[in-house]
């Protein structure tokens, strides 16, 4: 491996986990487009199935292209190991599946990606995993939500869509006192802007199709084990980690794998049995994207700040909610948690309300009108008429998706062209 812990972030973004192919000399990590891998002999096969040796068996569980992506993201997040899966939702699901039993609770910040709110409120109920909501900017709200059934805490570092910054150190302290792992969805910040482990996170998840892949071309997700949670010393019994496992000859994963036990349990139990594997082709495209992560994110946060400052001065714009603006309520937390930039997704309000929002998305030419974030291309959406249209007015307002709200995700284009596009569209409404 051409990976070294002393290398700087931009070097690791290009090299961590990868080395030239030992057989062909191929410099770029190949797409191992194969479902299965031959065993050397029956003893080798037995060792792999018993988890006594690391190696490839079947692409649902592991694959060499995925393995490089996993090592790359683990290095960037300073984790011990990672697991790449089919989507960001699959990553959240497998992370919680590794921790929760029926009847357990977890506390989540209510400032969350809309799809996560649905997943937690509805699909998880079928497993009897019960979400309790708290406020990402107020760590004491997590403290108050702790009960004897709490087994995990979940929040986003920078929350989608509002762009608010979470009080990671405060929430981490609550998790520590409660003896439960702290999971941070770092999709909007990326490890370039914020490494949640430095603020007390034990597990980090990402939707890889957003900023890490960065080009809007492949769905994927990842779970990073920070190696910080001691499963054997926790006051709670995390069965997947500490109990003898009947499908692995009674092996106790936390004892066998120490600081990598969580990532291994998520793979050899959750991914093995539930199956949301990432395709080697998507892993390859995302790996190509990761190489330019620091360059792209720096340009995207620069563009976001310039556009936010410009929008504030426009007569048709009522307000701009970007944590990188000094008078924003999240500004102080942003300086502490992600000082290089407050991300590149933010919302603003049009004085002309709903009609103005609908007209703006139609009038923009360079910004793409679609439901995604984190692309090299600049993106726009009017939540009230699209992603949040099924909600009642009060629900929309509570979710930060009132009639006047427009969300931008800034790409890497020249900011002059982005401002020119916004200028002509604002004039057109
Ligand atoms: C998109 C997104 C997800 C879900 O990821 P998918 O890859 O779409 O499943 C989760 N969290 C955040 C913050 C997101 O932006």
């Amino acid at each position: 491996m051409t990976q070294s812990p002393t290398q700087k972030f931009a070097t690791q973004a290009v090299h961590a986990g990868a080395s030239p192919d030992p057989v062909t000399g191929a410099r770029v990590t190949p797409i191992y487009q194969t479902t299965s891998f031959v065993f050397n002999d029956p003893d080798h096969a037995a060792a792999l199935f018993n988890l006594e040796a690391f190696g490839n068996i079947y692409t649902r569980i592991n694959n060499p292209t995925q393995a490089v992506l996993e090592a790359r993201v683990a290095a960037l997040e300073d984790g011990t190991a990672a697991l790449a899966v089919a989507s960001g939702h699959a990553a959240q699901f497998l992370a919680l599946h590794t921790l929760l039993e029926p009847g357990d609770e977890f506390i989540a910040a209510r400032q969350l990606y809309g799809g996560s709110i649905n997943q937690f409120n509805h699909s998880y109920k079928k497993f009897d995993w019960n979400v309790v909501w708290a406020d990402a900017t107020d760590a004491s709200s997590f403290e108050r939500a702790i009960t004897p059934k709490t087994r995990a805490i979940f929040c986003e570092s920078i929350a989608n869509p509002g762009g608010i910054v979470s009080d990671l150190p405060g929430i981490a302290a609550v998790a520590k006192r409660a003896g439960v792992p702290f999971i941070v969805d770092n999709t909007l910040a990326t490890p370039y802007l914020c490494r949640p482990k430095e603020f007390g996170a034990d597990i980090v998840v990402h939707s890889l199709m957003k900023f890490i892949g960065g080009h809007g071309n492949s769905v994927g997700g990842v779970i990073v084990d920070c190696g910080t949670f001691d499963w054997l010393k926790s006051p709670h019994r995390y069965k997947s980690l500490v109990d003898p496992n009947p499908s692995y000859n009674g092996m106790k994963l936390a004892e066998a794998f120490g600081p990598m036990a969580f990532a291994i349990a998520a793979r050899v139990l959750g991914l093995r049995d539930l199956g949301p594997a990432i395709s080697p082709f998507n892993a390859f495209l995302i790996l190509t994207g990761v190489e330019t992560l620091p360059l792209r994110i720096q340009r995207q946060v620069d563009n976001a700040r310039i556009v936010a400052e410009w929008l504030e001065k426009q007569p048709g714009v009522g307000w701009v909610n970007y944590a990188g603006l000094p008078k924003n309520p999240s500004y102080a937390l942003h300086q502490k948690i992600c000082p290089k930039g407050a991300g590149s997704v933010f919302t603003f309000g049009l004085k002309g309300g709903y009609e103005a929002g609908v007209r703006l998305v139609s009038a923009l030419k360079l910004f793409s009108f679609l439901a995604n974030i984190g692309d090299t291309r600049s993106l726009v959406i009017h939540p009230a008429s699209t992603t949040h249209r099924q909600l009642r007015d009060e629900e929309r307002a509570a979710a930060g998706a009132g009639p006047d709200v427009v969300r931008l995700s800034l790409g890497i284009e020249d900011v002059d062209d982005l401002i020119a596009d916004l200028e002509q569209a604002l004039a057109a409404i």
Side-chain angles (χ1 to χ4, degrees):
M1 298 266 172
T2 43
Q3 174 185 359
S4 132
T6 60
Q7 284 173 347
K8 297 271 173 42
F9 189 88
T11 310
Q12 291 188 327
V14 179
H15 291 286
S19 37
D21 184 71
V23 177
T24 62
R27 187 64 192 84
V28 172
T29 299
I31 306 167
Y32 288 93
Q33 193 68 25
T34 178
T35 56
S36 344
F37 301 84
V38 291
F39 306 117
N40 301 340
D41 53 56
D43 288 343
H44 177 226
L48 290 176
F49 280 104
N50 288 341
L51 299 182
E52 289 154 12
F54 283 109
N56 301 305
I57 298 177
Y58 186 62
T59 287
R60 168 154 46 74
I61 303 167
N62 47 17
N63 172 285
T65 314
Q66 287 155 220
V68 175
L69 176 60
E70 286 160 350
R72 184 78 46 89
V73 179
L76 295 177
E77 288 286 8
D78 193 28
T80 50
L83 174 64
V85 292
S87 67
H89 268 12
Q92 296 164 196
F93 176 43
L94 291 191
L96 287 163
H97 181 265
T98 308
L99 299 173
L100 302 183
E101 302 295 328
D104 284 349
E105 290 176 5
F106 67 106
I107 308 170
R110 71 170 68 79
Q111 298 89 342
L112 226 53
Y113 172 69
S116 303
I117 295 177
N118 277 336
Q119 190 189 49
F120 295 180
N121 268 339
H122 304 300
S123 288
Y124 286 0
K125 292 272 148 48
K126 295 199 170 193
F127 300 93
D128 199 12
W129 303 342
N130 300 298
V131 63
V132 180
W133 297 105
D135 177 352
T137 63
D138 175 12
S140 71
S141 69
F142 286 82
E143 187 90 64
R144 288 193 297 277
I146 297 278
T147 77
K149 293 179 176 174
T150 308
R151 289 296 175 274
I153 291 183
F154 187 102
C155 79
E156 296 177 6
S157 45
I158 300 179
N160 181 3
I164 68 122
V165 180
S166 302
D167 179 8
L168 298 184
I171 302 169
V174 173
K176 218 173 190 67
R177 280 197 292 279
V180 303
F182 181 28
I183 309 172
V184 175
D185 179 339
N186 200 30
T187 299
L188 263 71
T190 81
Y192 176 72
L193 297 177
C194 166
R195 272 178 165 174
K197 180 181 170 182
E198 289 167 14
F199 300 102
D202 301 298
I203 295 157
V204 175
V205 294
H206 281 274
S207 170
L208 289 171
M209 72 144 142
K210 311 286 174 53
F211 293 96
I212 291 200
H215 295 70
N217 60 18
S218 338
V219 180
V222 73
I223 303 169
V224 179
D225 187 346
C226 295
T228 45
F229 196 85
D230 193 335
W231 307 103
L232 297 168
K233 293 216 181 102
S234 168
H236 308 297
R237 183 166 136 236
Y238 291 95
K239 290 187 183 176
S240 297
L241 289 137
V242 303
D243 280 11
N245 199 289
S247 62
Y248 291 110
N249 294 328
M251 181 184 262
K252 297 175 182 171
L253 297 178
E255 278 177 14
F257 298 109
M260 286 161 51
F262 182 79
I264 290 180
R267 182 191 304 279
V268 303
L269 302 173
L271 183 59
R272 182 196 66 177
D273 295 349
L274 300 167
I278 188 171
S279 94
F281 185 60
N282 281 12
F284 170 84
L285 289 173
I286 293 165
L287 256 180
T288 306
V290 178
E291 295 182 5
T292 54
L293 180 74
L295 301 172
R296 285 186 285 107
I297 303 301
Q298 188 59 55
R299 168 68 84 104
Q300 285 171 292
V301 295
D302 290 346
N303 281 354
R305 187 180 34 78
I306 295 166
V307 168
E309 285 168 357
W310 180 84
L311 280 169
E312 272 199 315
K313 298 192 206 105
Q314 304 314 305
V317 173
W319 51 267
V320 178
N321 183 19
Y322 181 54
L325 297 174
K327 62 175 202 269
N328 191 278
S330 276
Y331 187 75
L333 268 173
H334 133 65
Q335 297 240 295
K336 187 160 141 194
I337 288 175
C338 47
K340 289 210 276 282
S344 54
V345 176
F346 69 89
T347 52
F348 66 96
L350 290 167
K351 286 186 186 151
Y354 189 95
E355 279 308 314
V358 172
R359 281 197 233 123
L360 184 86
V361 294
S362 322
L364 284 164
K365 297 187 173 102
L366 186 55
F367 279 80
S368 303
F369 171 35
L370 54 76
N372 194 19
I373 56 168
D375 199 319
T376 50
R377 282 152 278 264
S378 289
L379 314 174
V380 64
I381 199 156
H382 177 236
S385 62
T386 55
T387 48
H388 290 67
R389 71 174 298 135
Q390 311 303 346
L391 303 184
R392 287 174 291 125
D393 286 351
E394 316 83 77
E395 291 175 321
R396 270 199 285 270
D404 60 332
V405 179
V406 175
R407 184 186 75 190
L408 298 182
S409 171
L410 278 301
I412 61 171
E413 302 96 332
D414 191 297
V415 74
D416 291 347
D417 292 325
L418 297 174
I419 288 178
D421 193 34
L422 285 163
E423 193 161 30
Q424 66 78 25
L426 285 169
I429 62 176

